[in-house]
Amino acid sequence: DAEITQSPRHKITETGRQVTLACHQTWNHNNMFWYRQDLGHGLRLIHYSYGVHDTNKGEVSDGYSVSRSNTEDLPLTLESAASSQTSVYFCASGPDDYGYTFGSGTRLTVV
Amino acid sequence: AQSVTQLGSHVSVSEGALVLLRCNYSSSVPPYLFWYVQYPNQGLQLLLKYTSAATLVKGINGFEAEFKKSETSFHLTKPSAHMSDAAEYFCAVTRSGNTGKLIFGQGTTLQVKP
């Protein structure tokens, strides 16, 4: 069955370190998205991609980057982790008849 | 550009009562609209979606939503709340077609009292 997976599920890192969160989908979707979820803010769009080699900034892109070298993967990199980036991160892909499919999330803590 | 406003960050209903979660959208182009549910410590699950077909959309778990262009609304309803409906609900909008950012509202936490 097709799926979208995120790894790791939990990550603790230190301020200033570079961190990469993985997102892998086997739906063959062109569109992929990264969101962060914080209490009181819902899901805010970080970066998104409409296809290979296409990347776009979302509303909260500062301090984050993505690259899309193939259809399946959209890794999210925190260049220099900050405490303000402690959050739950969700990856999504779509659309299809099921709308957009979300991964299970990565809980990132920056200490 | 698209945006979503969910009215009421917390809604509390009694078991068996009507559930009404409000969503208003702004879009300069014909929208696609979605409702997602998130149970504690889980990801997002699609409840239902509007993609320019029928304006009354039925979803899973007895939920439905009606697209009202004149009111720019897409409110979520369920005739009779169940304890298992307690969760956070998100309304989202994108433009019609296969490209577009998926933009979320701030979410509404539904509490169901016995």
Side-chain angles (χ1 to χ4, degrees):
Chain A
D1 288 347
E3 59 182 0
I4 180 167
T5 56
Q6 292 184 236
S7 62
R9 290 298 306 275
H10 302 272
K11 174 78 175 177
I12 300 174
T13 191
E14 295 178 344
T15 301
R17 287 192 178 269
Q18 183 180 81
V19 176
T20 296
L21 309 183
C23 176
H24 178 80
Q25 55 99 0
T26 57
W27 290 94
N28 199 34
H29 289 150
N30 286 325
N31 302 346
M32 295 183 72
F33 305 83
W34 273 104
Y35 296 88
R36 59 176 290 173
Q37 184 177 25
D38 304 288
L39 195 64
H41 292 278
L43 284 91
R44 292 181 290 176
L45 184 61
I46 305 171
H47 281 286
Y48 57 102
S49 169
Y50 291 144
V52 177
H53 302 311
D54 175 76
T55 61
N56 305 278
K57 293 181 178 181
E59 63 179 305
V60 291
S61 61
D62 287 349
Y64 303 93
S65 64
V66 294
S67 62
R68 187 89 179 270
S69 59
N70 57 52
T71 300
E72 296 80 16
D73 298 290
L74 187 70
L76 177 71
T77 297
L78 287 67
E79 304 294 345
S80 177
S83 58
S84 60
Q85 295 176 308
T86 292
S87 186
V88 180
Y89 292 85
F90 287 100
C91 178
S93 70
D96 57 23
D97 289 345
Y98 304 100
Y100 293 81
T101 303
F102 282 78
S104 298
T106 294
R107 184 174 297 274
L108 177 68
T109 302
V110 183
V111 298
Chain B
Q2 289 85 32
S3 66
V4 172
T5 301
Q6 291 184 239
L7 300 176
S9 58
H10 288 85
V11 171
S12 181
V13 301
S14 297
E15 190 173 21
L18 171 71
V19 175
L20 171 61
L21 304 182
R22 300 178 186 272
C23 172
N24 287 89
Y25 70 92
S26 172
S27 179
S28 56
V29 297
Y32 285 174
L33 293 154
F34 306 83
W35 275 100
Y36 284 87
V37 61
Q38 185 182 33
Y39 299 102
N41 298 313
Q42 294 188 26
L44 280 80
Q45 179 182 3
L46 181 67
L47 274 177
L48 49 81
K49 59 184 174 76
Y50 166 77
T51 55
S52 73
T55 57
L56 182 61
V57 181
K58 295 186 183 299
I60 62 172
N61 301 338
F63 285 93
E64 64 180 38
E66 186 171 8
F67 172 69
K68 292 187 176 181
K69 184 178 179 180
S70 61
E71 299 178 7
T72 61
S73 68
F74 191 57
H75 301 330
L76 182 70
T77 61
K78 182 174 181 177
S80 177
H82 192 272
M83 296 296 292
S84 60
D85 294 326
E88 189 157 21
Y89 292 80
F90 292 95
C91 182
V93 64
T94 187
R95 67 185 188 198
S96 58
N98 287 327
T99 61
K101 296 181 289 185
L102 184 63
I103 304 299
F104 284 86
Q106 293 187 334
T108 297
T109 300
L110 176 65
Q111 179 187 23
V112 182
K113 299 176 291 185

